[in-house]
Amino acid sequence: MLTHTADALFQTLRDWVEVDALRALDRSLTRFIATHSGETDEAVLLAVALTSERQRHGHVCLDLLGALRDPAALLGRLRDDQALGAPVREALNARLRALDLSDWVARLARSAAVSDWLGGQLDDGASPLVLAGSEAQPLLYLRRYWQDENRIRDGIRARLRQTIEVNENSLKEQLEGLFGPDPAQTAEPDWQRIACARAAPRAFFIITGGPGTGKTTTVVRLLALLQGLAAADSKPPLRIELAAPTGKAAARLNESIADQVDNLRGHQAPAGSIPTRVKTLHRLLGTLPESRRFRHHAANPLPADVVVVDEASMVDIELMARLLEALRPEARLILLGDKDQLSSVEAGAVLGDLCQRALDDHRNAGSAPQRASSLPPHTLETLSASPDRSLGQAVVMLQKSFRFNPAGGIGALATFVNAASDAPAQPRLQQALDLFTREQTRQDPRLGVIVLRRLSDTSDRAFRELVIEGYGADRSALGKMHEQAPKGVVDRQALNAWAKHLLEAQKQFQLLTPLRQGVWGVEGLNRRIVELLRERGLLGGGGSSVQPRQWFAGRPVLITRNDYGLNLMNGDIGLTLRVPADTAATGAAGARSVLRVAFPSAEGGVRWVLPSRLQAVETVFAMTVHKSQGSEFEHTALILPEKPNPVLTRELLYTAITRAKQRFTLLYSQEAVLGEALTRRVYRVSGLQGEWR
């Protein structure tokens, strides 16, 4: 039986659900725990609801001290285009003002629904919540996330403690074969070389860095080094698996790693010992239908000696925990990714947390973040120079970009946005505007062109021109679709070549947005773009019936859920095309035409899918910045909403900017919105940034 105060809390939670401040799931979970544990303390039940709500917004747990100090950070909006009303904020603030941290922690520790690890209580293994963290920063977890976090920490610690015997003479010989003579006299350390040398005797390693810093080049050389060391020691070739969190990221790594492997011909690694086939993490682990579990786990581990995961910033806490569970104890894990990009859509920021912990270790040791020790960089090629098995020694950050020049253009803008700064919004905004003004006068394509455009709304002429120029230009997929459409007798090979050409042309331009809902979100923008393209006659089918969610020639689609029956993964992008009906089936000519969706295949070809078989797709003329991770486009445009929004952060701006290869356009309507985005950082609560003793 709930008390009167608990009943009042559940009424408040119901009110919050009605205005989308909470999910119905958050309230239902809180009531379930109250019913089955007999909990009636409203302070405990409020903490349960907030812990569940925090998970929805990417946090692994609830920071109790942070909740009391900054209630405005809680109850993030579920619709990203609408702010929460004042009554919700006032109700939350009133409840939190009545709480004291030590008293709140004590009430949670007494609850039958909470296992008090913070107070040293023996875990019953059944309590749905866990109180952990530290006295200075108590954290409340849903048990599943607490277990996943501990599995990650334990799995990495076990690998950090491992020492893999490596012959120093063989290591030096292999490094010289891959990188040239010992760079002892060079002033600029070769961090790619250092990464390979430092990773050789370790079972866990992270290579982080921005776009174009050579992460793929480095890991291919590292794999060649490991295979070369194994061959020199008369051991069989290592079994290597390459993986990425999404199909799109896997396809990109597939392309780049094949080129890098070709460049290694003649190295001592056995021919064919470095794979070029990249799998999604879900496919690597073996998804089981209608289940959160995988075929590979601790009792049935992956038959791999080395697992490399690219775009690791996109891997959430649950998937990282499952991966570490599925590795054999002696297997190596190598993570690649940009620590400064946006984190995973789901809960956790594993790569960012691990890299931050490593940087903190360096600072606490009184050394520069890049330096592993006080020894000169080149001496790290010997094992005796790096006996330390700390997390800090297992991370190398590549800083030299071979794609962008920090002297100007895209590189300068990305560096500016990503640079640590405590400057207020207005000075940061002015610096950004000055940077755009200076680059506008230069427009150097060698540096990457950056353009700033101010809009009134999506009816603005500048927006219309950008859309038509981006999606309707001769080099675009739509332009080539109309000019080069197959006619008459077309065989399957010619059809595939045409489709592959269009899929490549899709990478010419992409519009990004931070939001999903509203006029400035993907929903509103896709409707507007379809309208503009239809007016220009660029979409197949024509007529007023063409809508974003209908099938029509020229519709780009994004897969939003893994479909193993079709071998399509979340994040895969395809293009809807009109093809001769008989050609689609038999390769013969036919007067009738049908719609088919073309997707890139893992083998470098094209896969054709019936539109009716695609159940989880969305039109993707406009794409969220989160969904764009793992992709690159010749010209990327980011459109900011007209009102400030918590999702607008430096990490989001940086991620959007670094999706561009040749040109980046920033569209905005209010300077204050851009100013706030330049000063706000993503902060996700977890325990992985804590001590690694």
Side-chain angles (χ1 to χ4, degrees), residues 272-300:
S273 62
I274 302 176
T276 56
R277 175 85 183 272
V278 184
K279 303 174 183 175
T280 65
L281 275 171
H282 285 83
R283 183 164 292 281
L284 175 68
L285 296 174
T287 301
L288 297 175
E290 308 300 326
S291 172
R292 300 177 71 96
R293 295 180 296 169
F294 293 96
R295 186 172 70 254
H296 290 291
H297 44 74
N300 180 33

PDB file of all heavy atoms in Angstrom, residues 272-300:
ATOM      1  N   GLY A 272      47.786 -12.483 -47.009  1.00  0.00           N
ATOM      2  CA  GLY A 272      46.405 -12.783 -46.642  1.00  0.00           C
ATOM      3  C   GLY A 272      46.148 -12.873 -45.160  1.00  0.00           C
ATOM      4  O   GLY A 272      45.044 -13.213 -44.734  1.00  0.00           O
ATOM      5  N   SER A 273      47.155 -12.548 -44.326  1.00  0.00           N
ATOM      6  CA  SER A 273      46.966 -12.684 -42.879  1.00  0.00           C
ATOM      7  C   SER A 273      46.262 -11.486 -42.262  1.00  0.00           C
ATOM      8  O   SER A 273      45.880 -11.528 -41.100  1.00  0.00           O
ATOM      9  CB  SER A 273      48.319 -12.890 -42.188  1.00  0.00           C
ATOM     10  OG  SER A 273      49.158 -11.755 -42.385  1.00  0.00           O
ATOM     11  N   ILE A 274      46.111 -10.402 -43.029  1.00  0.00           N
ATOM     12  CA  ILE A 274      45.370  -9.237 -42.546  1.00  0.00           C
ATOM     13  C   ILE A 274      44.045  -9.196 -43.288  1.00  0.00           C
ATOM     14  O   ILE A 274      44.017  -9.018 -44.512  1.00  0.00           O
ATOM     15  CB  ILE A 274      46.158  -7.939 -42.780  1.00  0.00           C
ATOM     16  CG1 ILE A 274      47.509  -8.012 -42.074  1.00  0.00           C
ATOM     17  CG2 ILE A 274      45.362  -6.731 -42.282  1.00  0.00           C
ATOM     18  CD1 ILE A 274      48.395  -6.820 -42.331  1.00  0.00           C
ATOM     19  N   PRO A 275      42.933  -9.372 -42.603  1.00  0.00           N
ATOM     20  CA  PRO A 275      41.637  -9.423 -43.289  1.00  0.00           C
ATOM     21  C   PRO A 275      41.229  -8.060 -43.824  1.00  0.00           C
ATOM     22  O   PRO A 275      41.676  -7.021 -43.329  1.00  0.00           O
ATOM     23  CB  PRO A 275      40.675  -9.885 -42.187  1.00  0.00           C
ATOM     24  CG  PRO A 275      41.308  -9.404 -40.919  1.00  0.00           C
ATOM     25  CD  PRO A 275      42.798  -9.501 -41.148  1.00  0.00           C
ATOM     26  N   THR A 276      40.394  -8.069 -44.830  1.00  0.00           N
ATOM     27  CA  THR A 276      39.836  -6.831 -45.374  1.00  0.00           C
ATOM     28  C   THR A 276      38.316  -6.830 -45.279  1.00  0.00           C
ATOM     29  O   THR A 276      37.683  -5.865 -45.704  1.00  0.00           O
ATOM     30  CB  THR A 276      40.257  -6.639 -46.843  1.00  0.00           C
ATOM     31  OG1 THR A 276      39.864  -7.794 -47.593  1.00  0.00           O
ATOM     32  CG2 THR A 276      41.762  -6.464 -46.953  1.00  0.00           C
ATOM     33  N   ARG A 277      37.735  -7.867 -44.749  1.00  0.00           N
ATOM     34  CA  ARG A 277      36.294  -7.954 -44.587  1.00  0.00           C
ATOM     35  C   ARG A 277      35.921  -7.451 -43.198  1.00  0.00           C
ATOM     36  O   ARG A 277      36.402  -7.970 -42.191  1.00  0.00           O
ATOM     37  CB  ARG A 277      35.825  -9.405 -44.763  1.00  0.00           C
ATOM     38  CG  ARG A 277      34.336  -9.628 -44.496  1.00  0.00           C
ATOM     39  CD  ARG A 277      33.511  -9.332 -45.715  1.00  0.00           C
ATOM     40  NE  ARG A 277      32.094  -9.468 -45.445  1.00  0.00           N
ATOM     41  CZ  ARG A 277      31.415 -10.618 -45.555  1.00  0.00           C
ATOM     42  NH1 ARG A 277      32.055 -11.724 -45.921  1.00  0.00           N
ATOM     43  NH2 ARG A 277      30.126 -10.655 -45.329  1.00  0.00           N
ATOM     44  N   VAL A 278      35.090  -6.450 -43.134  1.00  0.00           N
ATOM     45  CA  VAL A 278      34.681  -5.842 -41.860  1.00  0.00           C
ATOM     46  C   VAL A 278      33.233  -6.226 -41.564  1.00  0.00           C
ATOM     47  O   VAL A 278      32.379  -6.135 -42.447  1.00  0.00           O
ATOM     48  CB  VAL A 278      34.820  -4.305 -41.905  1.00  0.00           C
ATOM     49  CG1 VAL A 278      34.488  -3.691 -40.547  1.00  0.00           C
ATOM     50  CG2 VAL A 278      36.231  -3.915 -42.338  1.00  0.00           C
ATOM     51  N   LYS A 279      32.963  -6.627 -40.336  1.00  0.00           N
ATOM     52  CA  LYS A 279      31.620  -7.010 -39.918  1.00  0.00           C
ATOM     53  C   LYS A 279      31.054  -5.956 -38.968  1.00  0.00           C
ATOM     54  O   LYS A 279      31.808  -5.231 -38.312  1.00  0.00           O
ATOM     55  CB  LYS A 279      31.645  -8.364 -39.195  1.00  0.00           C
ATOM     56  CG  LYS A 279      32.237  -9.508 -40.000  1.00  0.00           C
ATOM     57  CD  LYS A 279      32.347 -10.761 -39.135  1.00  0.00           C
ATOM     58  CE  LYS A 279      33.003 -11.906 -39.908  1.00  0.00           C
ATOM     59  NZ  LYS A 279      33.217 -13.090 -39.048  1.00  0.00           N
ATOM     60  N   THR A 280      29.750  -5.905 -38.878  1.00  0.00           N
ATOM     61  CA  THR A 280      29.166  -5.117 -37.794  1.00  0.00           C
ATOM     62  C   THR A 280      29.393  -5.880 -36.490  1.00  0.00           C
ATOM     63  O   THR A 280      29.545  -7.104 -36.490  1.00  0.00           O
ATOM     64  CB  THR A 280      27.664  -4.892 -37.985  1.00  0.00           C
ATOM     65  OG1 THR A 280      26.991  -6.153 -37.918  1.00  0.00           O
ATOM     66  CG2 THR A 280      27.369  -4.204 -39.313  1.00  0.00           C
ATOM     67  N   LEU A 281      29.421  -5.159 -35.382  1.00  0.00           N
ATOM     68  CA  LEU A 281      29.604  -5.816 -34.092  1.00  0.00           C
ATOM     69  C   LEU A 281      28.497  -6.832 -33.816  1.00  0.00           C
ATOM     70  O   LEU A 281      28.755  -7.905 -33.256  1.00  0.00           O
ATOM     71  CB  LEU A 281      29.644  -4.770 -32.973  1.00  0.00           C
ATOM     72  CG  LEU A 281      31.004  -4.126 -32.704  1.00  0.00           C
ATOM     73  CD1 LEU A 281      30.851  -2.974 -31.729  1.00  0.00           C
ATOM     74  CD2 LEU A 281      31.990  -5.151 -32.174  1.00  0.00           C
ATOM     75  N   HIS A 282      27.275  -6.502 -34.214  1.00  0.00           N
ATOM     76  CA  HIS A 282      26.172  -7.433 -33.989  1.00  0.00           C
ATOM     77  C   HIS A 282      26.376  -8.717 -34.779  1.00  0.00           C
ATOM     78  O   HIS A 282      26.131  -9.819 -34.266  1.00  0.00           O
ATOM     79  CB  HIS A 282      24.835  -6.784 -34.368  1.00  0.00           C
ATOM     80  CG  HIS A 282      24.353  -5.767 -33.374  1.00  0.00           C
ATOM     81  ND1 HIS A 282      24.806  -4.469 -33.386  1.00  0.00           N
ATOM     82  CD2 HIS A 282      23.475  -5.867 -32.346  1.00  0.00           C
ATOM     83  CE1 HIS A 282      24.220  -3.805 -32.399  1.00  0.00           C
ATOM     84  NE2 HIS A 282      23.418  -4.621 -31.752  1.00  0.00           N
ATOM     85  N   ARG A 283      26.842  -8.579 -36.002  1.00  0.00           N
ATOM     86  CA  ARG A 283      27.077  -9.788 -36.802  1.00  0.00           C
ATOM     87  C   ARG A 283      28.275 -10.564 -36.266  1.00  0.00           C
ATOM     88  O   ARG A 283      28.280 -11.797 -36.266  1.00  0.00           O
ATOM     89  CB  ARG A 283      27.284  -9.411 -38.267  1.00  0.00           C
ATOM     90  CG  ARG A 283      27.457 -10.612 -39.179  1.00  0.00           C
ATOM     91  CD  ARG A 283      27.280 -10.266 -40.632  1.00  0.00           C
ATOM     92  NE  ARG A 283      25.911  -9.901 -40.942  1.00  0.00           N
ATOM     93  CZ  ARG A 283      24.919 -10.790 -41.112  1.00  0.00           C
ATOM     94  NH1 ARG A 283      25.155 -12.077 -40.981  1.00  0.00           N
ATOM     95  NH2 ARG A 283      23.710 -10.375 -41.397  1.00  0.00           N
ATOM     96  N   LEU A 284      29.299  -9.866 -35.821  1.00  0.00           N
ATOM     97  CA  LEU A 284      30.460 -10.537 -35.244  1.00  0.00           C
ATOM     98  C   LEU A 284      30.062 -11.368 -34.022  1.00  0.00           C
ATOM     99  O   LEU A 284      30.483 -12.528 -33.875  1.00  0.00           O
ATOM    100  CB  LEU A 284      31.517  -9.508 -34.850  1.00  0.00           C
ATOM    101  CG  LEU A 284      32.750 -10.036 -34.114  1.00  0.00           C
ATOM    102  CD1 LEU A 284      33.600 -10.899 -35.038  1.00  0.00           C
ATOM    103  CD2 LEU A 284      33.579  -8.884 -33.551  1.00  0.00           C
ATOM    104  N   LEU A 285      29.252 -10.774 -33.142  1.00  0.00           N
ATOM    105  CA  LEU A 285      28.859 -11.468 -31.916  1.00  0.00           C
ATOM    106  C   LEU A 285      27.773 -12.503 -32.163  1.00  0.00           C
ATOM    107  O   LEU A 285      27.610 -13.429 -31.361  1.00  0.00           O
ATOM    108  CB  LEU A 285      28.380 -10.454 -30.872  1.00  0.00           C
ATOM    109  CG  LEU A 285      29.452  -9.473 -30.383  1.00  0.00           C
ATOM    110  CD1 LEU A 285      28.841  -8.420 -29.469  1.00  0.00           C
ATOM    111  CD2 LEU A 285      30.566 -10.215 -29.660  1.00  0.00           C
ATOM    112  N   GLY A 286      27.046 -12.369 -33.259  1.00  0.00           N
ATOM    113  CA  GLY A 286      26.016 -13.343 -33.592  1.00  0.00           C
ATOM    114  C   GLY A 286      24.690 -13.051 -32.908  1.00  0.00           C
ATOM    115  O   GLY A 286      24.390 -13.611 -31.849  1.00  0.00           O
ATOM    116  N   THR A 287      23.895 -12.185 -33.507  1.00  0.00           N
ATOM    117  CA  THR A 287      22.604 -11.831 -32.929  1.00  0.00           C
ATOM    118  C   THR A 287      21.665 -13.032 -32.914  1.00  0.00           C
ATOM    119  O   THR A 287      21.586 -13.792 -33.877  1.00  0.00           O
ATOM    120  CB  THR A 287      21.956 -10.691 -33.734  1.00  0.00           C
ATOM    121  OG1 THR A 287      22.823  -9.562 -33.724  1.00  0.00           O
ATOM    122  CG2 THR A 287      20.621 -10.290 -33.139  1.00  0.00           C
ATOM    123  N   LEU A 288      20.941 -13.195 -31.811  1.00  0.00           N
ATOM    124  CA  LEU A 288      19.916 -14.233 -31.699  1.00  0.00           C
ATOM    125  C   LEU A 288      18.552 -13.592 -31.900  1.00  0.00           C
ATOM    126  O   LEU A 288      18.275 -12.540 -31.303  1.00  0.00           O
ATOM    127  CB  LEU A 288      19.984 -14.911 -30.331  1.00  0.00           C
ATOM    128  CG  LEU A 288      21.293 -15.655 -30.026  1.00  0.00           C
ATOM    129  CD1 LEU A 288      21.282 -16.177 -28.599  1.00  0.00           C
ATOM    130  CD2 LEU A 288      21.514 -16.786 -31.009  1.00  0.00           C
ATOM    131  N   PRO A 289      17.696 -14.165 -32.729  1.00  0.00           N
ATOM    132  CA  PRO A 289      16.375 -13.570 -33.002  1.00  0.00           C
ATOM    133  C   PRO A 289      15.574 -13.344 -31.725  1.00  0.00           C
ATOM    134  O   PRO A 289      15.572 -14.180 -30.815  1.00  0.00           O
ATOM    135  CB  PRO A 289      15.702 -14.609 -33.912  1.00  0.00           C
ATOM    136  CG  PRO A 289      16.827 -15.393 -34.508  1.00  0.00           C
ATOM    137  CD  PRO A 289      17.901 -15.424 -33.467  1.00  0.00           C
ATOM    138  N   GLU A 290      14.913 -12.181 -31.663  1.00  0.00           N
ATOM    139  CA  GLU A 290      14.029 -11.840 -30.548  1.00  0.00           C
ATOM    140  C   GLU A 290      14.734 -11.947 -29.201  1.00  0.00           C
ATOM    141  O   GLU A 290      14.161 -12.425 -28.218  1.00  0.00           O
ATOM    142  CB  GLU A 290      12.783 -12.744 -30.555  1.00  0.00           C
ATOM    143  CG  GLU A 290      12.040 -12.787 -31.877  1.00  0.00           C
ATOM    144  CD  GLU A 290      11.540 -11.412 -32.308  1.00  0.00           C
ATOM    145  OE1 GLU A 290      11.175 -10.612 -31.420  1.00  0.00           O
ATOM    146  OE2 GLU A 290      11.531 -11.148 -33.529  1.00  0.00           O
ATOM    147  N   SER A 291      16.000 -11.527 -29.130  1.00  0.00           N
ATOM    148  CA  SER A 291      16.762 -11.653 -27.890  1.00  0.00           C
ATOM    149  C   SER A 291      17.790 -10.539 -27.808  1.00  0.00           C
ATOM    150  O   SER A 291      18.280 -10.045 -28.829  1.00  0.00           O
ATOM    151  CB  SER A 291      17.461 -13.014 -27.838  1.00  0.00           C
ATOM    152  OG  SER A 291      18.348 -13.089 -26.731  1.00  0.00           O
ATOM    153  N   ARG A 292      18.145 -10.137 -26.586  1.00  0.00           N
ATOM    154  CA  ARG A 292      19.230  -9.179 -26.365  1.00  0.00           C
ATOM    155  C   ARG A 292      20.577  -9.897 -26.291  1.00  0.00           C
ATOM    156  O   ARG A 292      21.623  -9.264 -26.204  1.00  0.00           O
ATOM    157  CB  ARG A 292      19.008  -8.410 -25.058  1.00  0.00           C
ATOM    158  CG  ARG A 292      17.717  -7.610 -25.021  1.00  0.00           C
ATOM    159  CD  ARG A 292      17.544  -6.930 -23.672  1.00  0.00           C
ATOM    160  NE  ARG A 292      18.496  -5.847 -23.505  1.00  0.00           N
ATOM    161  CZ  ARG A 292      18.229  -4.573 -23.757  1.00  0.00           C
ATOM    162  NH1 ARG A 292      17.041  -4.222 -24.204  1.00  0.00           N
ATOM    163  NH2 ARG A 292      19.140  -3.640 -23.561  1.00  0.00           N
ATOM    164  N   ARG A 293      20.543 -11.219 -26.266  1.00  0.00           N
ATOM    165  CA  ARG A 293      21.776 -12.000 -26.128  1.00  0.00           C
ATOM    166  C   ARG A 293      22.394 -12.293 -27.497  1.00  0.00           C
ATOM    167  O   ARG A 293      21.761 -12.108 -28.524  1.00  0.00           O
ATOM    168  CB  ARG A 293      21.487 -13.310 -25.392  1.00  0.00           C
ATOM    169  CG  ARG A 293      21.028 -13.100 -23.945  1.00  0.00           C
ATOM    170  CD  ARG A 293      20.752 -14.421 -23.281  1.00  0.00           C
ATOM    171  NE  ARG A 293      19.636 -15.108 -23.942  1.00  0.00           N
ATOM    172  CZ  ARG A 293      19.301 -16.376 -23.705  1.00  0.00           C
ATOM    173  NH1 ARG A 293      20.004 -17.092 -22.852  1.00  0.00           N
ATOM    174  NH2 ARG A 293      18.266 -16.925 -24.327  1.00  0.00           N
ATOM    175  N   PHE A 294      23.648 -12.779 -27.439  1.00  0.00           N
ATOM    176  CA  PHE A 294      24.379 -13.100 -28.655  1.00  0.00           C
ATOM    177  C   PHE A 294      24.859 -14.545 -28.614  1.00  0.00           C
ATOM    178  O   PHE A 294      24.958 -15.159 -27.542  1.00  0.00           O
ATOM    179  CB  PHE A 294      25.584 -12.164 -28.809  1.00  0.00           C
ATOM    180  CG  PHE A 294      25.216 -10.731 -29.053  1.00  0.00           C
ATOM    181  CD1 PHE A 294      25.158  -9.829 -27.998  1.00  0.00           C
ATOM    182  CD2 PHE A 294      24.911 -10.283 -30.332  1.00  0.00           C
ATOM    183  CE1 PHE A 294      24.815  -8.499 -28.210  1.00  0.00           C
ATOM    184  CE2 PHE A 294      24.565  -8.957 -30.558  1.00  0.00           C
ATOM    185  CZ  PHE A 294      24.512  -8.070 -29.499  1.00  0.00           C
ATOM    186  N   ARG A 295      25.192 -15.054 -29.782  1.00  0.00           N
ATOM    187  CA  ARG A 295      25.670 -16.430 -29.880  1.00  0.00           C
ATOM    188  C   ARG A 295      27.030 -16.593 -29.196  1.00  0.00           C
ATOM    189  O   ARG A 295      27.328 -17.622 -28.601  1.00  0.00           O
ATOM    190  CB  ARG A 295      25.772 -16.840 -31.350  1.00  0.00           C
ATOM    191  CG  ARG A 295      26.126 -18.309 -31.559  1.00  0.00           C
ATOM    192  CD  ARG A 295      26.020 -18.732 -33.009  1.00  0.00           C
ATOM    193  NE  ARG A 295      27.074 -18.121 -33.835  1.00  0.00           N
ATOM    194  CZ  ARG A 295      26.877 -17.131 -34.691  1.00  0.00           C
ATOM    195  NH1 ARG A 295      25.656 -16.619 -34.849  1.00  0.00           N
ATOM    196  NH2 ARG A 295      27.872 -16.654 -35.405  1.00  0.00           N
ATOM    197  N   HIS A 296      27.865 -15.548 -29.286  1.00  0.00           N
ATOM    198  CA  HIS A 296      29.179 -15.611 -28.640  1.00  0.00           C
ATOM    199  C   HIS A 296      29.125 -14.890 -27.295  1.00  0.00           C
ATOM    200  O   HIS A 296      28.655 -13.754 -27.194  1.00  0.00           O
ATOM    201  CB  HIS A 296      30.245 -14.981 -29.541  1.00  0.00           C
ATOM    202  CG  HIS A 296      30.544 -15.785 -30.771  1.00  0.00           C
ATOM    203  ND1 HIS A 296      31.176 -17.005 -30.722  1.00  0.00           N
ATOM    204  CD2 HIS A 296      30.278 -15.552 -32.078  1.00  0.00           C
ATOM    205  CE1 HIS A 296      31.305 -17.485 -31.944  1.00  0.00           C
ATOM    206  NE2 HIS A 296      30.759 -16.627 -32.789  1.00  0.00           N
ATOM    207  N   HIS A 297      29.637 -15.556 -26.270  1.00  0.00           N
ATOM    208  CA  HIS A 297      29.650 -15.020 -24.906  1.00  0.00           C
ATOM    209  C   HIS A 297      30.780 -15.715 -24.156  1.00  0.00           C
ATOM    210  O   HIS A 297      31.626 -16.394 -24.782  1.00  0.00           O
ATOM    211  CB  HIS A 297      28.293 -15.233 -24.227  1.00  0.00           C
ATOM    212  CG  HIS A 297      27.715 -16.598 -24.452  1.00  0.00           C
ATOM    213  ND1 HIS A 297      28.193 -17.733 -23.827  1.00  0.00           N
ATOM    214  CD2 HIS A 297      26.724 -17.009 -25.287  1.00  0.00           C
ATOM    215  CE1 HIS A 297      27.503 -18.788 -24.230  1.00  0.00           C
ATOM    216  NE2 HIS A 297      26.613 -18.384 -25.120  1.00  0.00           N
ATOM    217  N   ALA A 298      30.814 -15.586 -22.830  1.00  0.00           N
ATOM    218  CA  ALA A 298      31.924 -16.145 -22.054  1.00  0.00           C
ATOM    219  C   ALA A 298      32.047 -17.652 -22.224  1.00  0.00           C
ATOM    220  O   ALA A 298      33.160 -18.200 -22.258  1.00  0.00           O
ATOM    221  CB  ALA A 298      31.754 -15.785 -20.579  1.00  0.00           C
ATOM    222  N   ALA A 299      30.902 -18.357 -22.323  1.00  0.00           N
ATOM    223  CA  ALA A 299      30.932 -19.810 -22.472  1.00  0.00           C
ATOM    224  C   ALA A 299      31.152 -20.248 -23.916  1.00  0.00           C
ATOM    225  O   ALA A 299      31.450 -21.423 -24.169  1.00  0.00           O
ATOM    226  CB  ALA A 299      29.637 -20.415 -21.933  1.00  0.00           C
ATOM    227  N   ASN A 300      30.988 -19.357 -24.870  1.00  0.00           N
ATOM    228  CA  ASN A 300      31.203 -19.656 -26.284  1.00  0.00           C
ATOM    229  C   ASN A 300      31.916 -18.465 -26.923  1.00  0.00           C
ATOM    230  O   ASN A 300      31.343 -17.713 -27.700  1.00  0.00           O
ATOM    231  CB  ASN A 300      29.867 -19.921 -26.986  1.00  0.00           C
ATOM    232  CG  ASN A 300      30.045 -20.245 -28.460  1.00  0.00           C
ATOM    233  OD1 ASN A 300      31.045 -20.846 -28.860  1.00  0.00           O
ATOM    234  ND2 ASN A 300      29.092 -19.826 -29.282  1.00  0.00           N
TER     235      ASN A 300
END
